[in-house]
Amino acid sequence: MPDRIPRRADELLHEFVDRAHELVRNQTHMDSLLAAVVSMAEDLSLQSVLERVAQSAAELLGARYAAIGVLGEGGMLENFITVGIEVDQVELIGDVPTGHGVLGQLITDPRPLRLHDLHDHPMSVGFPANHPPMKTFLGVPIRVRDTVFGNLYLTEKERGADFTGEDEDLAVALAAAAGVAIQNARLYEDSRSRQRWLEAGAEASAALIAEDVPSHEGDLDLVAEHALRASDSVLAVIARREGDRLRVRTAVGALALAAREDLRCPKALQDADQERRAVILSDPEEVFGPGAGEKLGHVMAVPVGQRSPLSGRDWGNRLLLLARQAGAGAFSGTELASAAAFGSHVGLALDLNLAHRQREQDLISVDRDRIAQDLHDLVIQRLFAAGLSAQSLRRYTADPGAQTRITRLTEELDESIRELRSTIYSLHGHEAREEGLSQALLDAVHETVRDAPIIPRVNVEGRLEELPPALAAHLVAVAREAVSNAVRHSGAGTVAVALTVAEDEVELVVEDDGKGFADPARTSGLANMEQRAASVGGTSRVDSAPGSGTRVIWRAPLPR
């Protein structure tokens, strides 16, 4: 009997100590959970919130790896943030998950899921190459009320243990707080996006109506630059649809696209242009061709203005194409709606400018017609009469010198009459012409080096007006690509562009005094120049060596 009392006391003491440890652990968990919730409110950027949630979850639950998958409008993962995997390894793994396998289970059935071994689950599809091994798993949906924003994934519990029910409760609590933080971050980003688009539309419209730019091409450049900044894109193109092709009017950003160059116009864009509505394409190669996916991500197409006799007469059906960088987030529904409003507003300003310029052109045409009529009815008739009078003087003199002077005088009067008639024809037949190749080349070079400490030199020789439009477009695009490469990679102080048109071929040479390179890896830019050369039966060569700069020689034969 006396022995039972100390034994019972020991049991009570151990039970007390265990409960005290449990209370301390629970308090620690609560403190960590509160700290994680507080950290989410420190930044309203969606990317920062997602990273904080994933990092806090890994630390709170003792997981080696954590990830946040954000659902897009199509019900698949559009953004995937990871913690625990090094950046280099992420690049080796390749494409991020989109919502298949076990990850897709939480999308179709948004309830907490705990697994002892990922590979034993019926929906497991395995891991891609270079993916770290993972076994234990805990996944919970991130939601606010009935709206699911995404999922929180945790793998590899410390010391190889399984995730417990207590871990699941903590993850659910953290996910609930994360849902509110993500909702707030999205609302904040939507608000900022709307504000950027409204400001861009107001600034562009004001500049257009105030006629700060003197030409149609300048108008389009201004609109493209404002849209590029407002959308956080890397490429902005304004094009006109011609059947199943898009004719580029202007381009600003990552790719070397020349005015009058043709792009693809898939059925989705044709329908969007016909119905005058904005649309998003997930594959940039549908528009920009093979290899575009290396640089570009999602593409948003926005009609600029509405159909009208004015826009159809001169501008055609304008489409604004905006492309994000490869791997960047997709355009949201809010951005699509804001961009559509931007296109409508600036389109109206463009049409007003067009109407104003057309009215001025009509007034100038009336003046030309009047001047031409006066020249024809008054000046030419008087010159013709003076010539007849000079001819009649021949019968009053037989002096050979005088006869010679009369002949010279009448020839000069005839030449003056011919020049006046040529002037009259040019006044009657005057039409606005698109910029020449030399000006397009100058514009492309200076635009590419605009923000770089590089001095450009451009030299043009030969009869540029005889070049076919398609070949001219290739030359401008190649020059833009070569100069862009020099700006980004060479560290050069000067870049020289020389275009020479001979009798049977045209040659473009772009040379810089940068650091050069040896055995360059094949890039999409160099491949693009080679493809352009091959399409016209020409050649493209790059000469470079470390320390001696780079020289691009692009040649194409001229059609007979």
Side-chain angles (χ1 to χ4, degrees):
M1 182 67 179
D3 293 340
R4 294 179 59 187
I5 295 175
R7 192 179 307 117
R8 179 60 179 165
D10 288 343
E11 291 174 358
L12 290 174
L13 181 61
H14 283 301
E15 183 178 352
F16 177 78
V17 171
D18 290 341
R19 291 195 177 184
H21 286 162
E22 183 179 354
L23 287 173
V24 171
R25 186 174 64 256
N26 289 341
Q27 184 62 42
T28 302
H29 285 163
M30 289 301 298
D31 291 342
S32 300
L33 181 61
L34 288 174
V37 172
V38 170
S39 71
M40 295 177 203
E42 293 179 356
D43 195 336
L44 284 175
S45 166
L46 180 59
Q47 186 74 13
S48 296
V49 169
L50 294 175
E51 291 172 356
R52 288 177 185 274
V53 170
Q55 185 65 47
S56 299
E59 294 173 357
L60 180 62
L61 301 177
R64 183 176 181 182
Y65 305 108
I68 296 283
V70 180
L71 296 180
E73 295 183 4
M76 302 300 286
L77 299 179
E78 70 173 12
N79 199 357
F80 199 77
I81 308 298
T82 61
V83 169
I85 303 178
E86 298 297 331
V87 175
D88 294 343
Q89 192 169 7
V90 171
E91 293 178 353
L92 289 174
I93 294 172
D95 296 336
V96 298
T98 57
H100 299 288
V102 176
L103 301 187
Q105 172 70 22
L106 279 170
I107 297 175
T108 57
D109 184 14
R111 292 184 297 176
L113 177 65
R114 273 188 294 140
L115 299 174
H116 170 70
D117 191 340
L118 273 169
H119 302 279
D120 294 339
H121 194 274
M123 293 187 66
S124 176
V125 294
F127 295 127
N130 303 308
H131 196 285
M134 295 180 181
K135 185 179 178 183
T136 57
F137 174 85
L138 171 60
V140 295
I142 299 174
R143 68 168 77 206
V144 175
R145 300 180 184 89
D146 295 329
T147 302
V148 177
F149 286 99
N151 297 303
L152 170 63
Y153 308 106
L154 299 125
T155 61
E156 291 300 287
K157 176 79 171 177
E158 57 191 4
R159 294 188 294 274
D162 288 341
F163 290 100
T164 65
E166 183 182 356
D167 292 333
E168 181 179 317
D169 291 340
L170 285 172
V172 169
L174 182 63
V180 176
I182 292 172
Q183 184 184 46
N184 290 337
R186 278 191 166 180
L187 291 174
Y188 175 71
E189 291 202 347
D190 286 348
S191 175
R192 289 188 60 194
S193 175
R194 290 191 187 96
Q195 182 180 357
R196 286 198 306 269
W197 278 109
L198 286 173
E199 290 176 352
E203 291 172 2
S205 298
L208 290 171
I209 294 174
E211 295 186 346
D212 288 348
V213 285
S215 66
H216 298 337
E217 290 75 16
D219 285 348
L220 295 179
D221 288 342
L222 186 148
V223 171
E225 288 169 359
H226 277 80
L228 186 75
R229 291 194 296 269
S231 63
D232 195 24
S233 299
V234 294
L235 175 65
V237 177
I238 296 181
R240 182 181 66 241
R241 184 167 74 90
E242 297 179 358
D244 61 349
R245 306 294 293 176
L246 289 170
R247 178 63 56 87
V248 174
R249 296 299 303 270
T250 190
V252 179
L255 289 186
L257 299 176
R260 299 182 297 277
E261 184 174 348
D262 282 349
L263 300 175
R264 300 175 179 180
C265 187
K267 186 65 165 54
L269 283 191
Q270 295 178 34
D271 293 342
D273 177 66
Q274 185 68 29
E275 300 168 13
R276 307 309 289 167
R277 59 178 173 82
V279 67
I280 296 175
L281 301 178
S282 59
D283 184 4
E285 296 188 1
E286 289 187 65
V287 179
F288 299 102
E294 297 178 14
K295 295 182 178 180
L296 305 179
H298 287 74
V299 178
M300 179 165 59
V302 181
V304 179
Q306 300 297 322
R307 292 188 182 277
S308 69
L310 284 174
S311 62
R313 177 178 179 181
D314 195 9
W315 295 86
N317 301 326
R318 295 166 300 210
L319 276 177
L320 169 63
L321 305 176
L322 298 165
R324 287 265 169 87
Q325 187 174 8
F331 293 100
S332 66
T334 299
E335 290 176 306
L336 189 67
S338 298
F342 171 88
S344 178
H345 293 161
V346 300
L348 177 59
L350 287 172
D351 285 343
L352 287 174
N353 261 13
L354 177 60
H356 178 69
R357 290 193 180 104
Q358 190 62 53
R359 184 168 59 252
E360 289 185 343
Q361 188 63 42
D362 291 342
L363 293 175
I364 293 173
S365 296
V366 171
D367 282 344
R368 287 198 182 99
D369 290 341
R370 179 182 56 78
I371 294 170
Q373 189 67 37
D374 290 345
L375 288 174
H376 183 272
D377 293 345
L378 300 176
V379 180
I380 288 183
Q381 296 299 330
R382 290 182 179 180
L383 287 174
F384 188 70
L388 291 177
S389 297
Q391 289 283 5
S392 66
L393 294 176
R394 291 181 182 276
R395 65 175 181 271
Y396 295 110
T397 179
D399 182 15
Q403 293 284 344
T404 300
R405 293 186 64 182
I406 291 171
T407 299
R408 188 179 303 117
L409 175 61
T410 54
E411 288 176 350
E412 290 178 356
L413 288 172
D414 288 342
E415 180 62 26
S416 297
I417 290 172
R418 283 193 294 270
E419 290 179 357
L420 279 172
R421 282 177 173 162
S422 176
T423 301
I424 291 170
Y425 294 147
S426 67
L427 287 172
H428 279 305
H430 178 84
E431 294 180 357
R433 297 178 176 86
E434 296 190 37
E435 65 180 9
L437 174 58
S438 59
Q439 185 61 46
L441 187 65
L442 283 170
D443 290 346
V445 172
H446 286 286
E447 178 184 340
T448 306
V449 302
R450 180 184 301 167
D451 299 322
I454 291 181
I455 300 174
R457 295 198 305 270
V458 180
N459 183 54
V460 178
E461 296 181 11
R463 300 178 63 86
L464 271 64
E465 66 276 7
E466 296 182 356
L467 293 178
L471 182 55
H474 284 307
L475 288 166
V476 174
V478 170
R480 190 190 298 267
E481 181 71 41
V483 174
S484 175
N485 288 339
V487 169
R488 287 180 293 167
H489 307 301
S490 72
T494 61
V495 60
V497 179
L499 176 61
T500 305
V501 181
E503 292 185 2
D504 56 353
E505 81 168 0
V506 58
E507 180 186 68
L508 175 69
V509 179
V510 181
E511 188 170 8
D512 66 66
D513 60 355
K515 58 187 178 183
F517 49 78
D519 300 326
R522 186 179 180 86
T523 66
S524 58
L526 298 179
N528 183 37
M529 289 189 281
E530 293 175 359
Q531 290 171 3
R532 289 181 181 277
S535 68
V536 293
T539 60
S540 179
R541 190 176 85 245
V542 179
D543 296 337
S544 183
S548 63
T550 302
R551 181 174 179 162
V552 177
I553 304 101
W554 196 92
R555 294 189 180 97
L558 294 178
R560 296 291 183 180

